[in-house]
Amino acid sequence: MTLDRPVDIIADTNTSIEIPDSRDGTNPQQMSNDFKKDSSKIERWDTTHSEDSDTFVSLDHSERPIRPADCAFGWIPTLAVMINYMVIFGASNSYGVFSTYYLNIKFPNTPATTLAWIGTLVTTLMLMCNVVTGALADKIGYRRTAYIGTVLCTTAYILASFSDKVWQLILTQGALLGIGTSFLYAPSISIPPQWFEKHKGMASGIAIAGSSIGGLWFTAATQAMLDSLGAKWTLRVLGFITFGVTSIMNLLYFRRVPPKPRKNLFDFAAAKHLTFWLIALEVFAMHTGFWAITFYIGTTARLHGGSMQDGSNLLLVLNAGNAIGRALAGVVADRFGNINTLLVSIILAVIIEMPLWISAKSMAPLYVLCALYGVVSPAFTSLNPVIVAIQFGPDSLASVIGMTNQFAGIGVLTGNLSQGAIFDKYDKREQFTNVTIFSGMFILFAGFITFVMRTHVVRRLYRKEDAKLTLKRYLLQKV
């Protein structure tokens, strides 16, 4: 057999291939057939990287990955994801700056519900389109999928810079940007859990922390550019940054495990399991309540006598807390379990958000709120992909995460539009009491679903091991 490219031959040390001696009367043709049969036990791996592929391919179509989990090489695509997250989530995490500008300066007579469509569609479509872009990433490759996102995001920013009406911004800065970020998000969220086993949570936490770091400099840069350049050139510069950063980072999107060959674009096998539906319901509830502070903390500052800059500073504190919290959640999860860490973080988020936001009458409590809520609340964004990877494996990870994110997108749409309507109708644009209650109740509901999911996973674990589950074991189980 002739190979087009050099290969490494890796033989199982426990396998011996016996070559008969023709001098003992063995038929030479039979010798050749026996050798070919036995040599099928040798595994052949292509260690060179194909120009049109984002994975290392086994020449015998084996599912074994080329590189082992937890190898140093895995940090290269993980750090590339972290940098891309700065851009992908920088847009949504800093949208509070645009929200305050649109709500109070550019479109002061437009209902908050209408303006909420702009920022809502970015996150909603990023998540809801993930069911398609995730399957596409598994089908055509991570890198190709990401470059589609680069083109769409850049186009969205440029078109938004020429928009003067709300409906135009909804279509460009909202819908088109959301679809573009979905193409970038689908491969990005699947890479860190795939490359690590022992430090799966930490790797995912470090990668997703890039979204908060991006929120920091996106927020500061956006506010500074709005003050000095105006909205139009601010959007254009954000488009140029998006194109430059993601074009380079996409080149480093390598996957460790080749996807399973499949005839159809979608793979709904995971939907047959109760765990999938519990994860889907949890992300729906979290995304329904989570974004309220991000969208409205700037307006809250103005209601309490603060300036546009004060609102921007609060977002900076919130994003700084998010960066710490997302990375810290991964480290804690590796020690105590991903579902355990998720449950505790959700409970703490409710305890912090509701009393501090409702009772705040000045700027100081708002800074405390943003700092504390920023640290504890975003754990679900870094831990849910890890939980999916552990429960369903890495082979179709982008597809399964895309399916759960369908429900997250519905949550963002439901939550943000409802909060805008509540602010207009019940809070009379004078406070955020009812918005806070709405947000807190959905986050609390997510905590209840996480508790149910933990119980289900622990019981299934003990049934599989045919062991007796006691109360002590249940409470101390790492999951």
Side-chain angles (χ1 to χ4, degrees), residues 5 44-48 50 53 55-59 61 66 258:
R5 291 178 292 182
R44 300 176 307 280
W45 293 95
D46 182 3
T47 57
T48 60
S50 172
S53 171
T55 188
F56 297 90
V57 183
S58 167
L59 294 181
H61 304 290
I66 281 295

Side-chain angles (χ1 to χ4, degrees), residues 249-324:
M249 292 302 108
N250 292 348
L251 292 171
L252 303 177
Y253 271 28
F254 302 106
R255 63 181 299 157
R256 186 177 73 89
V257 180
K260 287 183 177 179
R262 57 186 182 187
K263 297 180 180 179
N264 301 319
L265 181 62
F266 301 106
D267 182 4
F268 295 108
K272 299 177 181 178
H273 301 279
L274 177 60
T275 306
F276 169 84
W277 291 104
L278 291 173
I279 294 172
L281 193 55
E282 175 259 319
V283 298
F284 163 77
M286 277 302 299
H287 279 279
T288 301
F290 173 75
W291 294 96
I293 288 182
T294 301
F295 277 25
Y296 292 112
I297 196 64
T299 302
T300 304
R302 288 181 66 85
L303 289 176
H304 294 311
S307 63
M308 289 279 291
Q309 187 61 51
D310 289 322
S312 177
N313 291 340
L314 286 169
L315 279 175
L316 287 173
V317 173
L318 182 65
N319 282 304
N322 283 345
I324 297 171

Side-chain angles (χ1 to χ4, degrees), residues 34-292:
D34 289 343
F35 180 78
K36 289 179 179 179
K37 181 178 179 180
D38 287 335
S39 64
S40 66
K41 299 177 182 178
I42 299 178
E43 298 175 16
R44 300 176 307 280
W45 293 95
D46 182 3
T47 57
T48 60
H49 189 262
S50 172
E51 293 179 359
D52 58 354
S53 171
D54 54 13
T55 188
F56 297 90
V57 183
S58 167
L59 294 181
D60 61 359
H61 304 290
S62 170
E63 294 180 9
R64 272 183 61 187
I66 281 295
R67 295 182 181 273
D70 298 302
C71 66
F73 183 85
W75 287 108
I76 296 176
T78 299
L79 292 177
V81 168
M82 185 187 76
I83 295 173
N84 264 358
Y85 269 151
M86 294 182 188
V87 174
I88 298 171
F89 283 98
S92 58
N93 286 355
S94 66
Y95 178 73
V97 175
F98 279 107
S99 176
T100 305
Y101 172 76
Y102 292 151
L103 194 61
N104 296 280
I105 298 178
K106 189 169 185 177
F107 305 110
N109 298 319
T110 303
T113 308
T114 303
L115 292 173
W117 275 100
I118 303 172
T120 297
L121 283 178
V122 176
T123 308
T124 298
L125 291 177
M126 178 186 73
L127 296 169
M128 291 189 68
C129 292
N130 208 212
V131 69
V132 176
T133 57
L136 198 63
D138 283 334
K139 188 77 172 180
I140 69 172
Y142 285 3
R143 221 177 294 126
R144 289 174 177 173
T145 305
Y147 274 116
I148 295 174
T150 295
V151 173
L152 291 178
C153 287
T154 305
T155 303
Y157 278 120
I158 300 301
L159 291 178
S161 71
F162 292 100
S163 302
D164 293 313
K165 300 184 183 300
V166 174
W167 69 267
Q168 294 171 337
L169 290 170
I170 290 174
L171 291 178
T172 54
Q173 192 179 0
L176 185 57
L177 183 60
I179 294 171
T181 55
S182 183
F183 277 92
L184 282 164
Y185 180 59
S188 300
I189 199 172
S190 307
I191 286 176
Q194 188 178 109
W195 279 96
F196 297 90
E197 291 294 338
K198 294 180 181 179
H199 306 295
K200 197 185 293 284
M202 182 178 70
S204 294
I206 290 174
I208 199 71
S211 62
S212 300
I213 297 171
L216 282 171
W217 67 265
F218 253 78
T219 298
T222 300
Q223 185 64 64
M225 288 188 291
L226 278 175
D227 293 338
S228 60
L229 301 177
K232 293 183 180 297
W233 270 105
T234 298
L235 290 165
R236 289 165 192 161
V237 172
L238 292 178
F240 299 151
I241 293 173
T242 299
F243 181 82
V245 172
T246 61
S247 293
I248 297 173
M249 292 302 108
N250 292 348
L251 292 171
L252 303 177
Y253 271 28
F254 302 106
R255 63 181 299 157
R256 186 177 73 89
V257 180
K260 287 183 177 179
R262 57 186 182 187
K263 297 180 180 179
N264 301 319
L265 181 62
F266 301 106
D267 182 4
F268 295 108
K272 299 177 181 178
H273 301 279
L274 177 60
T275 306
F276 169 84
W277 291 104
L278 291 173
I279 294 172
L281 193 55
E282 175 259 319
V283 298
F284 163 77
M286 277 302 299
H287 279 279
T288 301
F290 173 75
W291 294 96

Side-chain angles (χ1 to χ4, degrees), residues 13-40:
T13 55
N14 295 321
T15 302
S16 61
I17 301 177
E18 188 175 325
I19 304 177
D21 191 338
S22 61
R23 290 174 296 182
D24 63 4
T26 304
N27 187 305
Q29 181 62 40
Q30 183 63 36
M31 289 170 51
S32 176
N33 291 338
D34 289 343
F35 180 78
K36 289 179 179 179
K37 181 178 179 180
D38 287 335
S39 64
S40 66

